[in-house]
């Protein structure tokens, strides 16, 4: 292997290692800073409240699963802005190590680094919603069987969490079960908190069913709603799977035709070139 290539690989790996180390060091530094100086955190949040609509912004952190992924359900917009700034600084440092101090590259790296986490968390939230679509049938079925067996709703939710394959749904169902078991928390508050941690129509429908259970106080009526929900959810999932397969088929067909077109164009250009044309 070329020595220069080996040196370049070592430099890139070293730069990545340094960047990752700096990221975690800065993260720990800011964590200690905010632990010792809460007034600074409050001031940052006040400024963001004026400019970024603090209430809706914090709700978005919950709905997109950012609080879940950072394991911080008290995450504020101020703290999240600091984390994004750290990510931006790390990417700028990596850019400087690899490409030097080109101002244009630094600006691009800073902007990309700041918004990179937003793109990542939105992508992960979409993946979670797809998993939840597949999980919800199992959750409905377990709840239906458990409640018809006279198992208390709190325990039924724990059993439903055990069959869920989506880690986020599993954890949130456990939290919901714990909140419902607390006498100091109203059922509606616990359900709404659970709903606020997702950006999913499937979860909203599930929460409406839970509200119906506490409203009816009648397992038979609730079971009928569950059976209907299972059927509707299964039908919706089947339609979604069919659409996904059709979209993938169309994408593959399109890719095939694009390759054929490029091949034909290449052959035509090569033919003209061999004939001494202007091509």
């Amino acid at each position: 292997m070329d020595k220069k290539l080996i040196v370049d690989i070592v430099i890139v790996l070293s730069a990545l290692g340094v960047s990752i180390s700096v990221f975690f060091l800065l993260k720990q530094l800011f964590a200690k800073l905010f632990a010792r100086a809460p007034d600074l955190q409050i001031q940052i949040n006040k400024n963001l409240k004026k400019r970024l609509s603090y209430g809706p912004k914090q709700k978005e952190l919950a709905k997109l699963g950012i609080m879940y992924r950072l394991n911080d359900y008290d995450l504020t917009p101020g703290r999240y802005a600091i984390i994004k700034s750290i990510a931006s600084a790390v990417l700028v440092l990596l850019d400087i190590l690899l490409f030097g101090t080109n101002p244009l590259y630094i600006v691009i790296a800073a902007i990309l680094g700041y918004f990179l986490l937003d793109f990542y968390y939105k992508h992960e939230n979409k993946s979670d919603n797809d998993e939840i679509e597949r999980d919800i049938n199992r959750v409905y079925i377990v709840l239906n069987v458990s409640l018809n067996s006279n198992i208390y709703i709190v325990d039924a939710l724990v059993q439903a969490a055990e069959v869920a394959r989506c880690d986020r749904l599993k954890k949130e169902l456990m939290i919901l079960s714990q909140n419902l078991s607390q006498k100091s928390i109203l059922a509606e508050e616990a359900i709404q908190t659970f709903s606020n941690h997702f950006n999913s129509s499937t979860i909203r429908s599930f929460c409406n069913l839970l509200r119906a259970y506490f409203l009816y106080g009648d397992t038979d009526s609730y079971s009928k709603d569950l059976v209907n929900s299972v059927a509707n959810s299964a039908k919706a999932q089947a339609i979604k799977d069919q659409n996904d397969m059709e979209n993938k088929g169309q994408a593959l067909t399109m890719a095939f035709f694009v390759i054929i077109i490029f091949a034909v164009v290449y052959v035509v250009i090569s033919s003209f070139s061999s004939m001494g044309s202007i091509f």
Side-chain angles (χ1 to χ4, degrees):
M1 186 181 290
D2 188 7
K3 291 183 178 180
K4 185 177 184 304
L5 179 59
I6 295 175
V7 172
D8 290 341
I9 292 173
V10 170
I11 291 173
V12 171
L13 292 176
S14 300
L16 285 172
V18 170
S19 299
I20 293 171
S21 300
V22 170
F23 175 82
F24 285 107
L25 285 173
L26 288 175
K27 189 176 179 182
Q28 292 177 359
L29 176 63
F30 279 109
K32 291 179 180 178
L33 177 64
F34 286 128
R36 295 177 182 177
D39 291 341
L40 178 58
Q41 175 70 61
I42 293 170
Q43 186 60 44
I44 290 174
N45 289 328
K46 283 182 178 179
N47 292 336
L48 284 168
K49 184 175 181 180
K50 295 176 182 176
R51 290 179 289 175
L52 299 176
S53 300
Y54 178 82
K57 187 67 178 178
Q58 190 167 26
K59 288 179 182 178
E60 184 181 0
L61 296 178
K63 285 185 175 295
L64 292 178
I66 297 174
M67 290 183 175
Y68 159 74
R69 287 196 156 76
L70 293 177
N71 196 28
D72 183 3
Y73 286 92
D74 294 320
L75 182 67
T76 61
R79 201 149 60 232
Y80 183 56
I82 293 296
I83 293 173
K84 293 204 298 180
S85 297
I86 294 173
S88 177
V90 169
L91 197 60
V92 167
L93 176 61
L94 182 61
D95 172 75
I96 292 173
L97 290 173
L98 293 177
F99 305 108
T101 56
N102 187 307
L104 179 61
Y105 289 170
I106 290 175
V107 171
I108 293 174
I111 294 173
L112 284 177
Y114 189 80
F115 292 104
L116 190 64
L117 288 179
D118 289 335
F119 291 125
Y120 169 73
Y121 288 131
K122 286 178 180 178
H123 174 268
E124 290 299 298
N125 181 66
K126 185 179 182 302
S127 298
D128 287 342
N129 286 344
D130 290 340
E131 280 193 80
I132 289 168
E133 289 283 350
R134 293 187 286 271
D135 263 347
I136 201 66
N137 281 343
R138 288 186 287 271
V139 171
Y140 281 145
I141 291 170
V142 168
L143 279 179
N144 191 32
V145 172
S146 298
L147 293 175
N148 280 322
S149 301
N150 295 322
I151 295 176
Y152 184 44
I153 183 67
V154 170
D155 298 322
L157 286 169
V158 172
Q159 293 179 357
E162 291 174 353
V163 301
R165 295 177 182 174
C166 175
D167 291 335
R168 182 178 168 191
L169 179 60
K170 185 188 294 287
K171 181 175 181 178
E172 297 295 348
L173 283 172
M174 293 298 294
I175 293 174
L176 173 61
S177 175
Q178 292 170 6
N179 287 340
L180 287 172
S181 66
Q182 299 290 327
K183 294 182 179 179
S184 58
I185 301 177
L186 296 176
E188 173 59 31
E189 292 177 353
I191 295 170
Q192 188 59 49
T193 299
F194 174 80
S195 179
N196 288 342
H197 288 170
F198 294 94
N199 185 24
S200 165
S201 58
T202 301
I203 293 297
R204 286 193 290 272
S205 298
F206 176 69
C207 289
N208 288 335
L209 277 173
L210 289 177
R211 292 186 180 96
Y213 172 82
F214 288 99
L215 180 64
Y216 288 148
D218 180 2
T219 303
D220 292 335
S221 299
Y222 183 68
S223 294
K224 292 177 183 177
D225 286 342
L226 274 175
V227 171
N228 291 333
S229 295
V230 170
N232 293 335
S233 178
K235 184 178 179 181
Q237 185 62 42
I239 293 173
K240 183 178 181 299
D241 291 341
Q242 183 178 355
N243 290 336
D244 288 344
M245 289 191 65
E246 289 177 356
N247 291 336
K248 288 179 181 178
Q250 291 175 357
L252 288 173
T253 303
M254 182 67 71
F256 175 76
F257 280 115
V258 168
I259 292 171
I260 294 296
I261 291 170
F262 272 109
V264 171
V265 171
Y266 176 77
V267 170
V268 170
I269 293 176
S270 298
S271 299
F272 275 107
S273 297
S274 63
M275 292 171 60
S277 68
I278 60 173
F279 293 94

